[in-house]
Amino acid sequence: MAAESRSLDISKIPKNILATKYEVRGAVYLAAQERQRQGKEVIFTSVGNPHALGQVPLTFLRQVVALVAAPFLLNDPTVANSFPTDAILRAQEYLQDVKSLGAYTDSRGSGLVRQQVANFLNKRDGLGCQGLDRIFLTDGASAAVKLGLQMCIRGEGYRDGILVPIPQYPLYSATISLFGGILVPYELDEDSEWGVSFEGLNQAISQAKANQICCRGLVFINPGNPTGQQMTHGQIASMLQLALTENLAVFADEVYQDNIYGNARPFISARSVLKDMGGEAANQVQLLSFHTVSKGALGECGMRGGFLEMLNVPDDVVAQMYKLASINLSPNVPGQIAVGVMVNPPEFGDPSYSLYARERAAVLGSLARRASAITRALEDLEGVTLAPAGSLYAFPRITLPHKAIKHAKDKGQAPDLFYCLALLDATGIATTPGSGFGQKDGTYHFRTTILPPEAKLDHFCSSIRDFHNAFMLKYGGLPPRPRL
């Protein structure tokens, strides 16, 4: 059989797959994997993967998952001395609902966990859900976002657009391409700590209409990824009002809602703002909200637990989404249990409350210290500016020497990719170039997580500093600032 006649030949791969790009696992990540194969150290700060960099799991969650995974332990008389009673009771409740960690649940997920999600949202926002059928448990928030986008994008024969903030998390650009949609970018204002420019957003909508693009969705990421900013109540209200005016479904990506540090403004959910607006907006704006166990104090990326909740979506559309979710039969059950613990943690007076509260505070406190330390270290570099680190990331802007930019373009590389590859080669630190997230023309950035362990933070920061100073000297930048 001739190679070109085979079904799985690159010339026959669907064009949407070929057009899809995901730079978080792009050139730097692949180079880092090759470095590992050579036996060299790699510090993966390119992905928000807390446990891979030493974050300790919260005890209560793992106790509950362990008991649900091994229910025979509940019949062991020694277990009562090894596990707190609230962990045992919680495991028994989940087992009564899901029967077994190895059994399928409903395609929307466990009814008990979805009720716990509904209670969490009502308590957080003062706004009840419109029915448990509007809550879908998913394999991480990424699967939830994909499900929502697939419902919005009609694919070939249409020119459906999704408004996405730039810089953006590449999940959006990749998924929109995969489903045959068109990404309609609106740039965040870096000079205003990555705030929303409504002038730019309205221009993006007008330009899309001029290009015969039908905008169907509006995405905002709050707190931001990769930018780390928190949106204000007024900004969110303006976004929701715009969605009402332009008849857009709103995708509120709120997975970093617990990753707020220092004096940063508090997290405000889109649901709570919609409630405050009342009137036509509260009754008409179609809002999809997303959350996950992968971030915050849990950091349980490998559990793949997340959810989406919908407001003001018609019954027949919900039924179609349920049909779509049913193709995968069931979200994974350990992830569902993790979601249940996230939204319904031990309460004051419960046996596990004190330990859970201490562990949670320790994780978030450590993240806050690391965010501050990495921000200070990057701010001290010549030609580097950045907003305070937030979410799990710092996203510094780097002013690269002309010689470096020319050298990168001669190699067919984006200048910030060239910088990140050089950083990896010199230090073993794997970051993600800003070009993978989208950025204003003529600017260059990179994203690093704030996850390196505190014990290694000084070495991490000094490694970046020494590399950056050497890079700038090599390519004709300004001499490094004297060390104080």
Side-chain angles (χ1 to χ4, degrees), residues 68 142 165 406 424 456:
V68 175
S142 295
K406 182 179 184 304
L424 173 67
K456 297 182 178 180

Side-chain angles (χ1 to χ4, degrees), residues 4 15 27 41 82 84 101 103 120 134 167 188 200 224 233 250 270 283 307 335-337 386 401 430 454:
E4 63 272 12
K15 63 180 182 180
E41 182 184 15
S82 303
L101 210 62
F120 163 79
R134 264 65 175 173
L188 301 178
H233 188 286
V250 175
N283 293 321
F307 70 80
Q336 296 183 53
I337 302 301
L386 74 158
E454 287 190 87

Side-chain angles (χ1 to χ4, degrees), residues 37-77:
R37 282 191 287 269
Q38 295 170 4
K40 299 177 182 178
E41 182 184 15
V42 176
I43 303 172
F44 282 100
T45 70
S46 52
V47 182
N49 192 11
H51 288 201
L53 288 173
Q55 183 169 312
V56 177
L58 302 191
T59 301
F60 181 76
L61 169 59
R62 291 302 183 92
Q63 288 172 330
V64 173
V65 171
L67 290 170
V68 175
F72 54 83
L73 292 175
L74 294 169
N75 299 319
D76 187 330

Side-chain angles (χ1 to χ4, degrees), residues 154-427:
R154 291 170 290 183
E156 190 170 353
Y158 296 88
R159 291 176 58 77
D160 288 339
I162 306 293
L163 288 147
V164 178
I166 297 299
Q168 54 100 24
Y169 178 43
L171 164 69
Y172 290 96
S173 55
T175 305
I176 291 166
S177 291
L178 188 62
F179 292 151
I182 299 170
L183 186 145
V184 180
Y186 65 93
E187 290 184 348
L188 301 178
D189 184 357
E190 185 170 8
D191 294 332
S192 299
E193 295 190 349
W194 298 110
V196 178
S197 167
F198 286 96
E199 180 182 357
L201 180 53
N202 281 298
Q203 286 177 352
I205 293 172
S206 296
Q207 187 61 53
K209 291 177 179 177
N211 292 332
Q212 306 301 309
I213 296 171
C214 176
C215 290
R216 303 196 66 209
L218 171 62
V219 174
F220 55 83
I221 306 173
N222 179 40
N225 176 13
T227 48
Q229 84 286 359
Q230 289 82 45
M231 296 177 68
T232 67
H233 188 286
Q235 288 172 338
I236 297 170
S238 295
M239 297 287 265
L240 295 173
Q241 185 62 48
L242 179 68
L244 177 66
T245 301
E246 298 291 340
N247 197 22
L248 303 169
V250 175
F251 291 71
D253 185 333
E254 299 173 337
V255 303
Y256 295 100
Q257 59 188 261
D258 288 334
N259 295 106
I260 310 291
Y261 313 121
N263 296 321
R265 66 173 62 99
F267 165 75
I268 302 171
S269 74
R271 297 178 84 257
S272 68
V273 175
L274 198 62
K275 178 202 71 172
D276 293 344
M277 293 173 69
E280 188 180 11
N283 293 321
Q284 295 295 326
V285 172
Q286 296 183 317
L287 174 62
L288 284 69
S289 300
F290 306 94
H291 198 11
T292 182
V293 303
S294 297
K295 312 304 176 188
L298 296 186
E300 294 280 5
C301 298
M303 289 275 192
R304 306 314 301 138
F307 70 80
L308 78 85
E309 186 258 358
M310 295 176 285
L311 292 174
N312 301 323
V313 176
D315 290 346
D316 53 357
V317 175
V318 174
Q320 292 300 312
M321 184 176 283
Y322 184 39
K323 177 181 72 175
L324 195 58
S326 298
I327 295 171
N328 292 327
L329 292 176
S330 166
N332 85 84
V333 179
Q336 296 183 53
I337 302 301
V339 168
V341 171
M342 176 182 72
V343 299
N344 186 31
E347 296 182 347
F348 182 78
D350 291 343
S352 295
Y353 173 79
S354 294
L355 178 60
Y356 187 90
R358 287 199 309 274
E359 290 180 338
R360 185 177 185 276
V363 169
L364 294 177
S366 176
L367 287 170
R369 290 190 295 274
R370 284 178 275 173
S372 178
I374 289 175
T375 297
R376 290 195 307 271
L378 292 171
E379 282 177 333
D380 202 38
L381 300 179
E382 197 67 52
V384 172
T385 58
L386 74 158
S391 300
L392 291 180
Y393 310 105
F395 193 63
R397 177 175 174 173
I398 46 176
T399 301
L400 295 174
H402 293 298
K403 184 178 176 182
I405 295 172
K406 182 179 184 304
H407 195 72
K409 291 182 177 179
D410 289 345
K411 292 170 67 71
Q413 295 175 348
D416 45 13
L417 171 59
F418 175 70
Y419 179 93
C420 291
L421 287 170
L423 173 63
L424 173 67
D425 185 61
T427 67

